Amino acid sequence: MSSGPKLVSDPPTLDGCHSGIPRNLLRSAAQVKANLVSNQTIDPRERAQLPVLPQGFTSSQFATALAEIIHYLGKQHVEINDKPLDDGWYIEHPNTHDAFNLFDSEDTVSSAAVYPGSVEDVQAIVRWANKFRMPIFPISIGRNFGYGGAAPRVRGSVVIDLGRRMNRILDINPDDCTCLVEPGVTFYALYEEIQKRGYKHLWIDVPDLGGGSVIGNTLDRGVGYTPYGDHFAMHSGMEVVLPRGHLVRTGMGALPGNNTWQTFPYGFGPYYDGIFTQSNFGIVTKMGMTLMPNPGGHESFMYTFEKEEDLPQIVEAIRPLRIGNILENVAQLKHVVQEVAALGKPRASCIHPGEALTDGIRRIATSLPYGDCTWIYYGTCYGPAELRNPKLKIIHAAFTRIPGARKIDPQTLPPDHYFWSRDRICSGVPDIRELSWLNWQPNGAHVFFSPICPIKGQDAERLLAIAGKWHNKYNLDIFPAFCVGAREMHLIINIVYDRGCEISRQNAYRCMRGMIQEAAGYGYGEYRTHLLFQDQVAATYNWKNGALMNLHNSIKDTLDPNGILAPGRLGIWPAAYRNRGWELTHNDTNTSGKALSEGNSVCHSRCASDTKL
Ligand code: ADP
């Protein structure tokens, strides 16, 4: 633990930095940063033998290749990764490695970053990579925290940081309610620009945090919390640089002179946009996104449920309401442990030594405005009061059929309560509050376990039991939340671990492996995963001896015969790498395949090994 308060500079704002924080969130961001820094014991890591070269390159081959791209882009737009690795924090994040490393941070580290300023630059970089067989890895902002951050899967890849110089909002159409953006446009930036232009009738859809890019989040099939929450479903039109440098526009964008690129996603003929999401088939340089018309009002609400065992009943109550669109947004059912962690305090200051986690959480929850409970449902109804009220009535009747359910009156909640952060996000206003639970552990880092299941009580219980078993085995606190989509649920479990402690990292890693495998045995698959688990998850989607992966491989080999673009991302390996030992399997603890021995799972971040939920 740090001995005293550290001096913390203010985070950069959007005025001077494309990935900065909006001015109105500066104070909150500075507070979040100060808390995270005070909870940090590790410093930027000193390093040896730099830069880390991609496998197969000698220093002189790498230098020759780099000289060529420096010649093209200019020295100031190429940066060798030879400084100490600094994890920074959400707003001042690295583009060199995974700030929330599970293996050693050197393991998925880049050799250099290049900063294209135009589509032509991106094409030139791709052609350069083909010439030298250089692995490249595109990022938009690189804040894919919990899923690998900015880290490439292949060590020594050159990161293409698109966002730094390609961050224009090319169009906001207030009549069609659409926009067209470049990779470096964050949700914060888009929101601010819409306000600046005075388009009060336009909403955006934001994830829990607004610092990711609209493009990066959509390409990783992220979600937000208004009725426009499925970002891929709501996008329209892409411009893509293919792995050999050709440029293509999808949908109506292929028709010269069109004015419907952002209003009709399909165009004519096969629809390709999907193959550029969660893949390594192209670099997206522009994308259209639909914007939600302001519905004329909204009302967020919160219900608490008493007992752990209420879960199946709650889920059964949610299903018809969600499918029937009475519950209109991706709503969240959170365990109270998340609420307590969202207070932003370290575990060690919440749970007494020797106290069971459940007891500690209950004790703290009792002192919170809504009192003792186990599950908390956050939802929002949209439209003017006369449209909202009938829906709210139906929801109330359904939820209060569960014994002990209580509707919490928002007026009883203080202005800094987490509820109000949810209220902002669910009405399209980006926030930064969601990071507070990272303080639960020193050097707090997190990784997501995100399986999909039906909106059924027994599935929710079964998945949670699987996750609970593995968390117990590896002595981890469990933070479950169900995010309810139109006809399925994502169970999002956020493992918070101490990235400064090897045992804590290994516990999180092993727990992830165990959960993925066991869940797959029951037919539950992840919708998205951290880059270290992508081989494993891809291998669970193996109907008919991996027919789907065979299709991915054919597309990969056709589009990217030299295998330069993000090799291994989503478990898709180009021919030059395939079946040559690159795939990570169960026992690997680094990307070169060192086996992990089962050892002590008690880490110093936990008060005691008997404090299980
Ligand atoms: P964010 O902008 O939300 O921080 P990232 O830049 O971290 O998201 O990207 C998320 C994932 O999507 C990364 O794994 C990255 O490789 C991929 N990705 C991001 N931007 C692009 C892009 N413009 N083209 C292709 N893939 C991209």
Side-chain angles (χ1 to χ4, degrees), residues 79-223:
E79 197 173 8
I80 295 190
N81 180 5
D82 57 1
K83 300 172 198 62
L85 291 181
D86 186 351
D87 295 338
W89 73 290
Y90 184 72
I91 292 295
E92 292 150 284
H93 64 293
N95 66 3
T96 45
H97 66 290
D98 184 2
F100 291 166
N101 59 304
L102 278 161
F103 289 173
D104 191 286
S105 346
E106 289 288 347
D107 235 44
T108 48
V109 81
S110 66
S111 54
V114 291
Y115 301 99
S118 65
V119 175
E120 293 72 30
D121 283 357
V122 177
Q123 290 178 282
I125 292 165
V126 164
R127 292 194 184 109
W128 164 81
N130 274 287
K131 176 173 169 188
F132 290 98
R133 304 285 196 274
M134 179 73 77
I136 49 177
F137 190 85
I139 58 169
S140 284
I141 295 289
R143 284 195 180 122
N144 207 12
F145 284 107
Y147 293 112
R153 173 63 173 80
V154 165
R155 191 166 189 255
S157 297
V158 171
V159 162
I160 309 176
D161 187 334
L162 297 147
R164 184 178 289 189
R165 297 173 65 211
M166 297 174 69
N167 49 47
R168 288 173 304 165
I169 296 171
L170 299 166
D171 186 38
I172 299 177
N173 186 320
D175 303 321
D176 294 338
C177 303
T178 60
C179 64
L180 180 68
V181 295
E182 289 189 328
V185 177
T186 63
F187 293 94
Y188 289 141
L190 183 58
Y191 177 81
E192 290 300 309
E193 185 61 23
I194 287 173
Q195 306 315 305
K196 202 166 113 196
R197 296 193 195 183
Y199 295 147
K200 297 278 176 241
H201 69 292
L202 292 183
W203 278 17
I204 65 167
D205 185 89
V206 280
D208 293 300
L209 292 159
S213 68
V214 178
I215 288 187
N217 183 279
T218 305
L219 294 184
D220 225 25
R221 298 206 288 263
V223 298

Side-chain angles (χ1 to χ4, degrees), residues 1-2 107 132 158 209 294 333 342 357 399 446 513 539 574 588:
M1 271 291 174
S2 67
D107 235 44
F132 290 98
V158 171
L209 292 159
N294 183 334
L333 181 63
L357 179 66
F399 281 169
H446 69 97
R513 289 265 182 225
D588 294 331

Side-chain angles (χ1 to χ4, degrees), residues 243-254:
R244 290 204 288 176
H246 304 109
L247 187 64
V248 66
R249 286 187 176 181
T250 65
M252 296 308 293

